[in-house]
mmCIF file with all atom_site columns, all heavy atoms in Angstrom:
data_model
loop_
_atom_site.group_PDB
_atom_site.id
_atom_site.type_symbol
_atom_site.label_atom_id
_atom_site.label_alt_id
_atom_site.label_comp_id
_atom_site.label_asym_id
_atom_site.label_entity_id
_atom_site.label_seq_id
_atom_site.pdbx_PDB_ins_code
_atom_site.Cartn_x
_atom_site.Cartn_y
_atom_site.Cartn_z
_atom_site.occupancy
_atom_site.B_iso_or_equiv
_atom_site.pdbx_formal_charge
_atom_site.auth_seq_id
_atom_site.auth_comp_id
_atom_site.auth_asym_id
_atom_site.auth_atom_id
_atom_site.pdbx_PDB_model_num
ATOM 1   N N   . CYS M 1 49 ? 40.237 176.468 -50.896 1.00 90.00 ? 49 CYS M N   1
ATOM 2   C CA  . CYS M 1 49 ? 39.255 177.082 -51.777 1.00 90.00 ? 49 CYS M CA  1
ATOM 3   C C   . CYS M 1 49 ? 37.919 177.190 -51.105 1.00 90.00 ? 49 CYS M C   1
ATOM 4   O O   . CYS M 1 49 ? 37.095 178.092 -51.339 1.00 90.00 ? 49 CYS M O   1
ATOM 5   C CB  . CYS M 1 49 ? 39.151 176.318 -53.128 1.00 90.00 ? 49 CYS M CB  1
ATOM 6   S SG  . CYS M 1 49 ? 40.646 176.537 -54.074 1.00 90.00 ? 49 CYS M SG  1
ATOM 7   N N   . LYS M 1 50 ? 37.584 176.206 -50.244 1.00 89.00 ? 50 LYS M N   1
ATOM 8   C CA  . LYS M 1 50 ? 36.304 176.250 -49.579 1.00 89.00 ? 50 LYS M CA  1
ATOM 9   C C   . LYS M 1 50 ? 36.197 177.301 -48.502 1.00 89.00 ? 50 LYS M C   1
ATOM 10  O O   . LYS M 1 50 ? 35.126 177.652 -47.978 1.00 89.00 ? 50 LYS M O   1
ATOM 11  C CB  . LYS M 1 50 ? 35.973 174.857 -48.989 1.00 89.00 ? 50 LYS M CB  1
ATOM 12  C CG  . LYS M 1 50 ? 35.477 173.971 -50.100 1.00 89.00 ? 50 LYS M CG  1
ATOM 13  C CD  . LYS M 1 50 ? 35.209 172.528 -49.578 1.00 89.00 ? 50 LYS M CD  1
ATOM 14  C CE  . LYS M 1 50 ? 34.895 171.647 -50.814 1.00 89.00 ? 50 LYS M CE  1
ATOM 15  N NZ  . LYS M 1 50 ? 34.839 170.252 -50.494 1.00 89.00 ? 50 LYS M NZ  1
ATOM 16  N N   . LEU M 1 51 ? 37.430 177.871 -48.094 1.00 90.00 ? 51 LEU M N   1
ATOM 17  C CA  . LEU M 1 51 ? 37.444 178.952 -47.186 1.00 90.00 ? 51 LEU M CA  1
ATOM 18  C C   . LEU M 1 51 ? 36.751 180.192 -47.839 1.00 90.00 ? 51 LEU M C   1
ATOM 19  O O   . LEU M 1 51 ? 36.154 181.073 -47.235 1.00 90.00 ? 51 LEU M O   1
ATOM 20  C CB  . LEU M 1 51 ? 38.838 179.360 -46.850 1.00 90.00 ? 51 LEU M CB  1
ATOM 21  C CG  . LEU M 1 51 ? 39.622 178.582 -45.807 1.00 90.00 ? 51 LEU M CG  1
ATOM 22  C CD1 . LEU M 1 51 ? 41.001 179.176 -45.718 1.00 90.00 ? 51 LEU M CD1 1
ATOM 23  C CD2 . LEU M 1 51 ? 38.922 178.703 -44.439 1.00 90.00 ? 51 LEU M CD2 1
ATOM 24  N N   . LEU M 1 52 ? 36.970 180.271 -49.173 1.00 91.00 ? 52 LEU M N   1
ATOM 25  C CA  . LEU M 1 52 ? 36.683 181.557 -49.849 1.00 91.00 ? 52 LEU M CA  1
ATOM 26  C C   . LEU M 1 52 ? 35.185 181.759 -50.053 1.00 91.00 ? 52 LEU M C   1
ATOM 27  O O   . LEU M 1 52 ? 34.774 182.911 -50.104 1.00 91.00 ? 52 LEU M O   1
ATOM 28  C CB  . LEU M 1 52 ? 37.392 181.631 -51.170 1.00 91.00 ? 52 LEU M CB  1
ATOM 29  C CG  . LEU M 1 52 ? 38.920 181.447 -51.178 1.00 91.00 ? 52 LEU M CG  1
ATOM 30  C CD1 . LEU M 1 52 ? 39.534 181.597 -52.535 1.00 91.00 ? 52 LEU M CD1 1
ATOM 31  C CD2 . LEU M 1 52 ? 39.508 182.490 -50.175 1.00 91.00 ? 52 LEU M CD2 1
ATOM 32  N N   . ASN M 1 53 ? 34.416 180.712 -50.240 1.00 86.00 ? 53 ASN M N   1
ATOM 33  C CA  . ASN M 1 53 ? 32.962 180.951 -50.386 1.00 86.00 ? 53 ASN M CA  1
ATOM 34  C C   . ASN M 1 53 ? 32.220 180.685 -49.090 1.00 86.00 ? 53 ASN M C   1
ATOM 35  O O   . ASN M 1 53 ? 31.024 180.481 -49.109 1.00 86.00 ? 53 ASN M O   1
ATOM 36  C CB  . ASN M 1 53 ? 32.359 180.193 -51.572 1.00 86.00 ? 53 ASN M CB  1
ATOM 37  C CG  . ASN M 1 53 ? 32.491 178.733 -51.423 1.00 86.00 ? 53 ASN M CG  1
ATOM 38  O OD1 . ASN M 1 53 ? 33.084 178.176 -50.513 1.00 86.00 ? 53 ASN M OD1 1
ATOM 39  N ND2 . ASN M 1 53 ? 31.932 178.004 -52.377 1.00 86.00 ? 53 ASN M ND2 1
ATOM 40  N N   . GLY M 1 54 ? 32.955 180.523 -47.998 1.00 88.00 ? 54 GLY M N   1
ATOM 41  C CA  . GLY M 1 54 ? 32.257 180.441 -46.672 1.00 88.00 ? 54 GLY M CA  1
ATOM 42  C C   . GLY M 1 54 ? 31.796 179.051 -46.340 1.00 88.00 ? 54 GLY M C   1
ATOM 43  O O   . GLY M 1 54 ? 31.226 178.835 -45.291 1.00 88.00 ? 54 GLY M O   1
ATOM 44  N N   . LEU M 1 55 ? 31.992 178.083 -47.215 1.00 87.00 ? 55 LEU M N   1
ATOM 45  C CA  . LEU M 1 55 ? 31.514 176.660 -46.868 1.00 87.00 ? 55 LEU M CA  1
ATOM 46  C C   . LEU M 1 55 ? 32.280 176.280 -45.559 1.00 87.00 ? 55 LEU M C   1
ATOM 47  O O   . LEU M 1 55 ? 31.786 175.588 -44.751 1.00 87.00 ? 55 LEU M O   1
ATOM 48  C CB  . LEU M 1 55 ? 31.888 175.731 -47.999 1.00 87.00 ? 55 LEU M CB  1
ATOM 49  C CG  . LEU M 1 55 ? 30.905 175.705 -49.164 1.00 87.00 ? 55 LEU M CG  1
ATOM 50  C CD1 . LEU M 1 55 ? 31.412 174.811 -50.292 1.00 87.00 ? 55 LEU M CD1 1
ATOM 51  C CD2 . LEU M 1 55 ? 29.520 175.229 -48.654 1.00 87.00 ? 55 LEU M CD2 1
ATOM 52  N N   . ILE M 1 56 ? 33.513 176.722 -45.501 1.00 86.00 ? 56 ILE M N   1
ATOM 53  C CA  . ILE M 1 56 ? 34.239 176.700 -44.242 1.00 86.00 ? 56 ILE M CA  1
ATOM 54  C C   . ILE M 1 56 ? 34.246 178.127 -43.705 1.00 86.00 ? 56 ILE M C   1
ATOM 55  O O   . ILE M 1 56 ? 34.603 179.034 -44.450 1.00 86.00 ? 56 ILE M O   1
ATOM 56  C CB  . ILE M 1 56 ? 35.701 176.250 -44.371 1.00 86.00 ? 56 ILE M CB  1
ATOM 57  C CG1 . ILE M 1 56 ? 35.696 174.778 -44.892 1.00 86.00 ? 56 ILE M CG1 1
ATOM 58  C CG2 . ILE M 1 56 ? 36.475 176.375 -43.121 1.00 86.00 ? 56 ILE M CG2 1
ATOM 59  C CD1 . ILE M 1 56 ? 37.014 174.282 -45.228 1.00 86.00 ? 56 ILE M CD1 1
ATOM 60  N N   . PRO M 1 57 ? 33.760 178.472 -42.571 1.00 86.00 ? 57 PRO M N   1
ATOM 61  C CA  . PRO M 1 57 ? 33.335 177.675 -41.470 1.00 86.00 ? 57 PRO M CA  1
ATOM 62  C C   . PRO M 1 57 ? 31.840 177.448 -41.282 1.00 86.00 ? 57 PRO M C   1
ATOM 63  O O   . PRO M 1 57 ? 31.383 176.807 -40.349 1.00 86.00 ? 57 PRO M O   1
ATOM 64  C CB  . PRO M 1 57 ? 33.864 178.414 -40.264 1.00 86.00 ? 57 PRO M CB  1
ATOM 65  C CG  . PRO M 1 57 ? 33.618 179.866 -40.670 1.00 86.00 ? 57 PRO M CG  1
ATOM 66  C CD  . PRO M 1 57 ? 33.829 179.865 -42.150 1.00 86.00 ? 57 PRO M CD  1
ATOM 67  N N   . HIS M 1 58 ? 31.050 177.931 -42.259 1.00 86.00 ? 58 HIS M N   1
ATOM 68  C CA  . HIS M 1 58 ? 29.630 177.906 -42.030 1.00 86.00 ? 58 HIS M CA  1
ATOM 69  C C   . HIS M 1 58 ? 29.040 176.503 -42.221 1.00 86.00 ? 58 HIS M C   1
ATOM 70  O O   . HIS M 1 58 ? 28.094 176.074 -41.563 1.00 86.00 ? 58 HIS M O   1
ATOM 71  C CB  . HIS M 1 58 ? 28.840 178.816 -42.982 1.00 86.00 ? 58 HIS M CB  1
ATOM 72  C CG  . HIS M 1 58 ? 29.185 180.255 -42.674 1.00 86.00 ? 58 HIS M CG  1
ATOM 73  N ND1 . HIS M 1 58 ? 28.831 180.844 -41.545 1.00 86.00 ? 58 HIS M ND1 1
ATOM 74  C CD2 . HIS M 1 58 ? 29.916 181.118 -43.395 1.00 86.00 ? 58 HIS M CD2 1
ATOM 75  C CE1 . HIS M 1 58 ? 29.317 182.131 -41.531 1.00 86.00 ? 58 HIS M CE1 1
ATOM 76  N NE2 . HIS M 1 58 ? 29.929 182.309 -42.663 1.00 86.00 ? 58 HIS M NE2 1
ATOM 77  N N   . TYR M 1 59 ? 29.595 175.745 -43.194 1.00 83.00 ? 59 TYR M N   1
ATOM 78  C CA  . TYR M 1 59 ? 28.986 174.443 -43.505 1.00 83.00 ? 59 TYR M CA  1
ATOM 79  C C   . TYR M 1 59 ? 29.776 173.343 -42.856 1.00 83.00 ? 59 TYR M C   1
ATOM 80  O O   . TYR M 1 59 ? 29.227 172.438 -42.307 1.00 83.00 ? 59 TYR M O   1
ATOM 81  C CB  . TYR M 1 59 ? 29.064 174.308 -45.040 1.00 83.00 ? 59 TYR M CB  1
ATOM 82  C CG  . TYR M 1 59 ? 28.210 173.186 -45.482 1.00 83.00 ? 59 TYR M CG  1
ATOM 83  C CD1 . TYR M 1 59 ? 26.774 173.310 -45.567 1.00 83.00 ? 59 TYR M CD1 1
ATOM 84  C CD2 . TYR M 1 59 ? 28.758 171.932 -45.816 1.00 83.00 ? 59 TYR M CD2 1
ATOM 85  C CE1 . TYR M 1 59 ? 26.042 172.273 -45.949 1.00 83.00 ? 59 TYR M CE1 1
ATOM 86  C CE2 . TYR M 1 59 ? 27.957 170.898 -46.187 1.00 83.00 ? 59 TYR M CE2 1
ATOM 87  C CZ  . TYR M 1 59 ? 26.612 171.076 -46.323 1.00 83.00 ? 59 TYR M CZ  1
ATOM 88  O OH  . TYR M 1 59 ? 25.825 170.025 -46.650 1.00 83.00 ? 59 TYR M OH  1
ATOM 89  N N   . TYR M 1 60 ? 31.086 173.399 -42.918 1.00 83.00 ? 60 TYR M N   1
ATOM 90  C CA  . TYR M 1 60 ? 31.919 172.457 -42.171 1.00 83.00 ? 60 TYR M CA  1
ATOM 91  C C   . TYR M 1 60 ? 32.311 173.092 -40.857 1.00 83.00 ? 60 TYR M C   1
ATOM 92  O O   . TYR M 1 60 ? 33.096 174.052 -40.813 1.00 83.00 ? 60 TYR M O   1
ATOM 93  C CB  . TYR M 1 60 ? 33.244 172.189 -42.935 1.00 83.00 ? 60 TYR M CB  1
ATOM 94  C CG  . TYR M 1 60 ? 32.959 171.379 -44.224 1.00 83.00 ? 60 TYR M CG  1
ATOM 95  C CD1 . TYR M 1 60 ? 32.977 171.958 -45.446 1.00 83.00 ? 60 TYR M CD1 1
ATOM 96  C CD2 . TYR M 1 60 ? 32.705 169.983 -44.105 1.00 83.00 ? 60 TYR M CD2 1
ATOM 97  C CE1 . TYR M 1 60 ? 32.707 171.241 -46.589 1.00 83.00 ? 60 TYR M CE1 1
ATOM 98  C CE2 . TYR M 1 60 ? 32.480 169.256 -45.243 1.00 83.00 ? 60 TYR M CE2 1
ATOM 99  C CZ  . TYR M 1 60 ? 32.470 169.885 -46.471 1.00 83.00 ? 60 TYR M CZ  1
ATOM 100 O OH  . TYR M 1 60 ? 32.208 169.105 -47.595 1.00 83.00 ? 60 TYR M OH  1
ATOM 101 N N   . VAL M 1 70 ? 36.853 188.485 -48.315 1.00 93.00 ? 70 VAL M N   1
ATOM 102 C CA  . VAL M 1 70 ? 36.662 188.437 -49.719 1.00 93.00 ? 70 VAL M CA  1
ATOM 103 C C   . VAL M 1 70 ? 35.887 189.664 -50.192 1.00 93.00 ? 70 VAL M C   1
ATOM 104 O O   . VAL M 1 70 ? 34.811 189.861 -49.713 1.00 93.00 ? 70 VAL M O   1
ATOM 105 C CB  . VAL M 1 70 ? 35.853 187.190 -50.111 1.00 93.00 ? 70 VAL M CB  1
ATOM 106 C CG1 . VAL M 1 70 ? 35.609 187.100 -51.601 1.00 93.00 ? 70 VAL M CG1 1
ATOM 107 C CG2 . VAL M 1 70 ? 36.664 185.907 -49.749 1.00 93.00 ? 70 VAL M CG2 1
ATOM 108 N N   . THR M 1 75 ? 34.379 186.492 -44.060 1.00 91.00 ? 75 THR M N   1
ATOM 109 C CA  . THR M 1 75 ? 33.592 185.297 -44.350 1.00 91.00 ? 75 THR M CA  1
ATOM 110 C C   . THR M 1 75 ? 32.844 184.844 -43.103 1.00 91.00 ? 75 THR M C   1
ATOM 111 O O   . THR M 1 75 ? 31.843 184.163 -43.156 1.00 91.00 ? 75 THR M O   1
ATOM 112 C CB  . THR M 1 75 ? 34.415 184.193 -44.937 1.00 91.00 ? 75 THR M CB  1
ATOM 113 O OG1 . THR M 1 75 ? 35.460 183.851 -44.017 1.00 91.00 ? 75 THR M OG1 1
ATOM 114 C CG2 . THR M 1 75 ? 34.931 184.558 -46.266 1.00 91.00 ? 75 THR M CG2 1
ATOM 115 N N   . TYR M 1 78 ? 29.425 186.787 -42.790 1.00 89.00 ? 78 TYR M N   1
ATOM 116 C CA  . TYR M 1 78 ? 28.381 186.702 -43.874 1.00 89.00 ? 78 TYR M CA  1
ATOM 117 C C   . TYR M 1 78 ? 28.039 185.262 -44.211 1.00 89.00 ? 78 TYR M C   1
ATOM 118 O O   . TYR M 1 78 ? 28.867 184.327 -43.955 1.00 89.00 ? 78 TYR M O   1
ATOM 119 C CB  . TYR M 1 78 ? 28.832 187.447 -45.126 1.00 89.00 ? 78 TYR M CB  1
ATOM 120 C CG  . TYR M 1 78 ? 28.891 188.909 -44.927 1.00 89.00 ? 78 TYR M CG  1
ATOM 121 C CD1 . TYR M 1 78 ? 30.033 189.501 -44.412 1.00 89.00 ? 78 TYR M CD1 1
ATOM 122 C CD2 . TYR M 1 78 ? 27.758 189.715 -45.247 1.00 89.00 ? 78 TYR M CD2 1
ATOM 123 C CE1 . TYR M 1 78 ? 29.986 190.871 -44.204 1.00 89.00 ? 78 TYR M CE1 1
ATOM 124 C CE2 . TYR M 1 78 ? 27.766 191.020 -45.121 1.00 89.00 ? 78 TYR M CE2 1
ATOM 125 C CZ  . TYR M 1 78 ? 28.927 191.655 -44.538 1.00 89.00 ? 78 TYR M CZ  1
ATOM 126 O OH  . TYR M 1 78 ? 28.964 193.001 -44.307 1.00 89.00 ? 78 TYR M OH  1
ATOM 127 N N   . LYS M 1 79 ? 26.885 185.057 -44.699 1.00 86.00 ? 79 LYS M N   1
ATOM 128 C CA  . LYS M 1 79 ? 26.398 183.646 -44.992 1.00 86.00 ? 79 LYS M CA  1
ATOM 129 C C   . LYS M 1 79 ? 26.973 183.191 -46.285 1.00 86.00 ? 79 LYS M C   1
ATOM 130 O O   . LYS M 1 79 ? 27.362 183.961 -47.175 1.00 86.00 ? 79 LYS M O   1
ATOM 131 C CB  . LYS M 1 79 ? 24.917 183.596 -45.013 1.00 86.00 ? 79 LYS M CB  1
ATOM 132 C CG  . LYS M 1 79 ? 24.264 183.827 -43.763 1.00 86.00 ? 79 LYS M CG  1
ATOM 133 C CD  . LYS M 1 79 ? 22.781 183.496 -43.856 1.00 86.00 ? 79 LYS M CD  1
ATOM 134 C CE  . LYS M 1 79 ? 22.106 183.851 -42.544 1.00 86.00 ? 79 LYS M CE  1
ATOM 135 N NZ  . LYS M 1 79 ? 20.881 184.490 -42.796 1.00 86.00 ? 79 LYS M NZ  1
ATOM 136 N N   . VAL M 1 80 ? 26.930 181.783 -46.515 1.00 86.00 ? 80 VAL M N   1
ATOM 137 C CA  . VAL M 1 80 ? 27.300 181.212 -47.791 1.00 86.00 ? 80 VAL M CA  1
ATOM 138 C C   . VAL M 1 80 ? 26.507 181.938 -48.947 1.00 86.00 ? 80 VAL M C   1
ATOM 139 O O   . VAL M 1 80 ? 27.064 182.233 -49.996 1.00 86.00 ? 80 VAL M O   1
ATOM 140 C CB  . VAL M 1 80 ? 27.069 179.758 -47.780 1.00 86.00 ? 80 VAL M CB  1
ATOM 141 C CG1 . VAL M 1 80 ? 27.379 179.126 -49.138 1.00 86.00 ? 80 VAL M CG1 1
ATOM 142 C CG2 . VAL M 1 80 ? 27.854 179.113 -46.685 1.00 86.00 ? 80 VAL M CG2 1
ATOM 143 N N   . LEU M 1 83 ? 28.094 185.176 -49.799 1.00 90.00 ? 83 LEU M N   1
ATOM 144 C CA  . LEU M 1 83 ? 29.453 185.069 -50.432 1.00 90.00 ? 83 LEU M CA  1
ATOM 145 C C   . LEU M 1 83 ? 29.348 184.457 -51.847 1.00 90.00 ? 83 LEU M C   1
ATOM 146 O O   . LEU M 1 83 ? 30.213 184.706 -52.658 1.00 90.00 ? 83 LEU M O   1
ATOM 147 C CB  . LEU M 1 83 ? 30.310 184.207 -49.526 1.00 90.00 ? 83 LEU M CB  1
ATOM 148 C CG  . LEU M 1 83 ? 30.642 184.933 -48.153 1.00 90.00 ? 83 LEU M CG  1
ATOM 149 C CD1 . LEU M 1 83 ? 31.134 183.919 -47.142 1.00 90.00 ? 83 LEU M CD1 1
ATOM 150 C CD2 . LEU M 1 83 ? 31.614 186.042 -48.402 1.00 90.00 ? 83 LEU M CD2 1
ATOM 151 N N   . VAL M 1 87 ? 31.895 184.604 -55.106 1.00 93.00 ? 87 VAL M N   1
ATOM 152 C CA  . VAL M 1 87 ? 32.829 183.542 -55.363 1.00 93.00 ? 87 VAL M CA  1
ATOM 153 C C   . VAL M 1 87 ? 32.040 182.357 -55.981 1.00 93.00 ? 87 VAL M C   1
ATOM 154 O O   . VAL M 1 87 ? 31.022 181.868 -55.404 1.00 93.00 ? 87 VAL M O   1
ATOM 155 C CB  . VAL M 1 87 ? 33.487 182.984 -54.110 1.00 93.00 ? 87 VAL M CB  1
ATOM 156 C CG1 . VAL M 1 87 ? 34.490 181.936 -54.447 1.00 93.00 ? 87 VAL M CG1 1
ATOM 157 C CG2 . VAL M 1 87 ? 34.167 184.092 -53.382 1.00 93.00 ? 87 VAL M CG2 1
#
Side-chain angles (χ1 to χ4, degrees):
Chain M
C49 290
K50 283 177 188 170
L51 281 177
L52 303 182
N53 62 356
L55 280 174
I56 295 173
H58 294 294
Y59 194 78
Y60 289 103
V70 175
T75 57
Y78 290 87
K79 291 190 186 134
V80 176
L83 294 164
V87 184

